[in-house]
Amino acid sequence: MRNSLLDRFRGAGGTSGSSGAKTFRADFTASLVVFLVAVPLCVGVAVASGVPAELGLITGIVGGLVTGFLPGSSLQVSGPAAGLTVLVYEAVEQYGVAALGVLVLISGLLQLAMGALGLGRWFRAISVAVVQGMLAGIGLVLIAGQLYALADAKAPTSGLDKIFGIPELIGDVAGSGDALKALAVGVGTIAVLVLWPRFRQGAKVLPAPLAAVALATASTVIFDLPIARVEVKGLLDAIQPPGGSEFQALAEVGVIGTVLAFTLIASAESLFSAAAVDRLHDGARTDYDKELMAQGAGNAVCGVLGALPMTAVIVRSAANVQAGAKTKASRVLHGVWLLIFAVLFPSALGIIPVATLAGVLVYSGWKLIPTKDLVPLWRTHRGEAIILVVTAGAIVVTNMFEGVIIGLLMAVAKTAWETSHVHVEVSGRENDDAGAGADDKPLRVRVRGNATFLRLPKLLDELEGLPREREVELDLTGLRHVDHACEMALATWTERHNAVVKRDAALEERIPA
C-alpha cells in the first residue's frame, strides 16, 4: 500500500522498495525547505498586492495540493509570485478585492482551454527580450512601491507617481523617528538576504528569506519597535468566493484586459520557469500543455476561493531542486505544511513587520531585473536589448498589459525587419561603354530575398539610382516572398520608368541633329 502511494507521486520511471523509501525521504526534506522559503514570500506578495496575508497562503496551498499533484513539470513549485504583484494591486485598487476571484477564475479557465488546445508550447515562441523586459518592469515598479512600505508609508497608485514621489518620501522619512526605525528593519532584512547565503552552513539549515524575516521580527519584538505589523483575519475569514455581482463586471472592457493580462503573463512566466527548472535537473522534462492545464486548474480553484493568482515560482522551484527533491511529492507536501501552518498558527503572522516583508520584495524585485545580462545583450544583440528596455519602461509609464503589448509589437516589427532582406542584382551595365546603340538594350534587374513594405524605401532608392536613359526588365522570380504593397510599388515604378525612357527617346528622334 505504501509503495503504491509513493508510485502515484513518482510517476513513470519510479523505483520501489528501499529506493522508494529513500526517494520519499529526499522529497520530505525538500518539502520542508520549500515550505520555509514559501511562507515569507506568500505573505509578502499578498501584503504588497493589497489583499489579506492569508490569501497568499491559500494560493500557496492550492499550488501545492492541486497544481503540485497534476502532471506537467515534476519539480516546479507554484504559488503567488512577485511577477503579478503590480497587476494584482492595480486590479484590486480599481475593482476591489471581491472581484479578484472572478479575474483569477476566468484566467484559470482560459489556461485550461489553451492547454487542452495544445497552445502551451507556443508560449516558448515569445521573445525572451519581452519576457525579461516584462520582469524588469515589474521589478522596477515593485521596488518603487515597496520603498514606501519600508518606511510604513502609503505608496501612490501609478508607477510614475511612485518614482517621482521618492524625493518627497526621503524628506518625510528623515523627519520621522518611527519611519526611520521601520526603514532600519527593512534595510536590515535586505542585508540579511544578501549576506546570509555566504554563510553556507546557516543557509543549509535555514533559507535566507525565512532567516531575514525571523531576525527582523525578533528584533522588532525585543525592542518593541512602533512599526506596522501584518494584519491577520484568519484563514476562513479571508476566503471570499465571487458572487453574481462580481461576474457582471466581466462586461467591462477594462476587466477583460486585466483577465487577458493575468492569463498571458502567468502562463508565460510559468512556462519559462519550467524551461529553467528543466535545466537544473536530469529528471523528466516538462510537458508544456499539461503544465499549462495544471496552472489553469490551480488558478481556477484560487479564483473560487477569492485568492491570489498563481504562477510557477523559480525561487521555490530552484530551492526544491537544490534541496534534493526527486518527485512531485515534495511540492505536494509543501502545500500540506502551508495548510497546517495557516490553520494552527495564523497568529504568528501578526507579529511580522510590514517593513521586513517590503525588504523581501525589494530584494525579489531587484532579482527580476537582468542587470548582468543587459550589457552583454547590448554588445551582441542590440535590437533585443532595446526591446527589453522599452518594454520595461513602457510598463513603468503605462501599466503591465499595455507595456507587454508594446514589447510584443516591437519584437514582431524587429523580426519582420530582420527577415525581409532584399538584394538587387543589375545586369547589362557592361553595355554602357560599348558604343552607340548599346544603351538601346534594357537593363535586367533581378530582385532576390523577401520583399516587404519595410524594405520598400531601400528598394526604390536602389531603383532610382539606375540610369534614366535605359529601360528596365524587372525579374521578381528570385523573391521567396513579396507582399502586395511591394509588388504594386515595383510594378508601378517599372512602368513609369520605362514610359519616361520611351518618351525621352521619342523626343530626341524629333529634334534634328
Side-chain angles (χ1 to χ4, degrees):
M1 178 66 178
R2 184 166 177 258
N3 284 339
S4 65
L5 289 174
L6 291 177
D7 290 337
R8 290 181 65 186
F9 285 121
R10 192 177 302 117
T15 58
S16 59
S18 60
S19 297
K22 184 177 180 180
T23 297
F24 186 77
R25 283 195 297 270
D27 289 332
F28 184 88
T29 303
S31 71
L32 292 174
V33 173
V34 178
F35 160 70
L36 295 176
V37 172
V39 169
L41 292 178
C42 287
V43 176
V45 169
V47 173
S49 300
V51 302
E54 293 86 351
L55 292 184
L57 290 174
I58 291 171
T59 299
I61 293 167
V62 174
L65 299 183
V66 178
T67 304
F69 198 81
L70 296 174
S73 175
S74 59
L75 299 183
Q76 183 164 253
V77 183
S78 300
L84 284 173
T85 300
V86 176
L87 188 58
V88 173
Y89 182 84
E90 293 174 354
V92 170
E93 284 287 307
Q94 189 168 359
Y95 307 114
V97 178
L100 183 61
V102 173
L103 302 177
V104 178
L105 172 60
I106 301 302
S107 296
L109 295 177
L110 287 176
Q111 286 181 309
L112 281 167
M114 289 190 298
L117 293 173
L119 301 180
R121 63 179 66 89
W122 287 101
F123 279 88
R124 301 168 68 184
I126 296 177
S127 168
V128 175
V130 174
V131 176
Q132 287 183 316
M134 176 191 75
L135 295 177
I138 292 168
L140 290 171
V141 177
L142 186 60
I143 291 171
Q146 293 307 303
L147 289 176
Y148 293 84
L150 283 175
D152 284 350
K154 182 174 177 57
T157 303
S158 71
L160 279 179
D161 290 341
K162 291 173 183 175
I163 294 174
F164 291 144
I166 289 176
E168 182 180 353
L169 173 67
I170 294 174
D172 294 340
V173 171
S176 171
D178 290 347
L180 286 172
K181 292 174 184 176
L183 181 63
V185 171
V187 172
T189 300
I190 297 172
V192 174
L193 288 169
V194 173
L195 298 175
W196 188 260
R198 299 184 181 182
F199 300 99
R200 296 184 179 180
Q201 295 300 322
K204 290 180 179 179
V205 177
L206 203 61
L210 189 65
V213 172
L215 290 172
T217 302
S219 300
T220 302
V221 172
I222 291 171
F223 295 103
D224 193 23
L225 299 179
I227 60 178
R229 311 294 212 279
V230 175
E231 295 183 7
V232 180
K233 295 182 178 180
L235 194 64
L236 294 178
D237 293 334
I239 296 175
Q240 299 184 36
S245 58
E246 282 76 33
F247 281 97
Q248 294 176 1
L250 291 173
E252 300 181 24
V253 176
V255 173
I256 298 299
T258 302
V259 169
L260 292 176
F262 275 173
T263 305
L264 296 176
I265 294 171
S267 301
E269 189 172 345
S270 295
L271 298 182
F272 270 91
S273 173
V277 173
D278 281 348
R279 291 194 291 268
L280 297 178
H281 66 89
D282 298 325
R285 304 293 92 178
T286 298
D287 184 317
Y288 287 90
D289 293 326
K290 290 182 179 179
E291 178 62 19
L292 186 56
M293 294 184 71
Q295 296 292 328
N299 273 316
V301 174
C302 287
V304 171
L305 298 176
L308 291 172
M310 75 164 61
T311 70
V313 186
I314 189 62
V315 175
R316 272 166 261 184
S317 302
N320 189 39
V321 176
Q322 292 164 3
K326 303 299 181 184
T327 71
K328 67 175 69 173
S330 60
R331 59 185 191 177
V332 175
L333 286 173
H334 118 276
V336 174
W337 310 142
L338 283 174
L339 177 60
I340 293 173
F341 175 82
V343 172
L344 298 183
F345 309 105
S347 58
L349 301 176
I351 63 174
I352 299 176
V354 172
T356 192
L357 295 178
V360 171
L361 290 172
V362 167
Y363 181 75
S364 299
W366 178 255
K367 299 290 283 185
L368 290 175
I369 303 173
T371 52
K372 295 180 181 179
D373 299 333
L374 191 55
V375 173
L377 189 63
W378 176 261
R379 291 173 180 168
T380 56
H381 301 284
R382 190 158 296 182
E384 294 291 306
I386 293 173
I387 292 174
L388 190 158
V389 173
V390 171
T391 302
I395 289 173
V396 173
V397 173
T398 58
N399 55 54
M400 177 77 65
F401 184 67
E402 293 178 9
V404 171
I405 293 298
I406 290 172
L408 289 173
L409 291 176
M410 283 193 65
V412 171
K414 171 181 172 292
T415 301
W417 175 262
E418 290 181 344
T419 55
S420 60
H421 291 295
V422 176
H423 180 61
V424 177
E425 297 176 351
V426 181
S427 58
R429 280 184 170 177
E430 64 275 6
N431 296 326
D432 289 348
D433 301 323
D439 59 356
D440 292 340
K441 296 182 179 181
L443 292 172
R444 292 179 297 279
V445 179
R446 179 177 171 84
V447 185
R448 301 173 60 187
N450 297 294
T452 68
F453 69 95
L454 295 173
R455 296 289 182 176
L456 189 53
K458 175 189 174 183
L459 268 176
L460 293 178
D461 285 343
E462 291 196 41
L463 294 176
E464 291 291 348
L466 296 176
R468 296 181 179 274
E469 67 278 3
R470 303 279 298 276
E471 290 190 38
V472 168
E473 289 182 357
L474 192 61
D475 181 7
L476 302 182
T477 58
L479 286 175
R480 292 188 296 272
H481 170 76
V482 57
D483 64 16
H484 182 68
C486 255
E487 187 175 17
M488 292 298 296
L490 292 175
T492 301
W493 181 90
T494 304
E495 182 180 347
R496 289 179 179 176
H497 174 86
N498 291 339
V500 170
V501 171
K502 291 178 181 178
R503 182 197 66 190
D504 292 345
L507 288 174
E508 288 182 3
E509 290 178 358
R510 294 176 185 175
I511 299 175

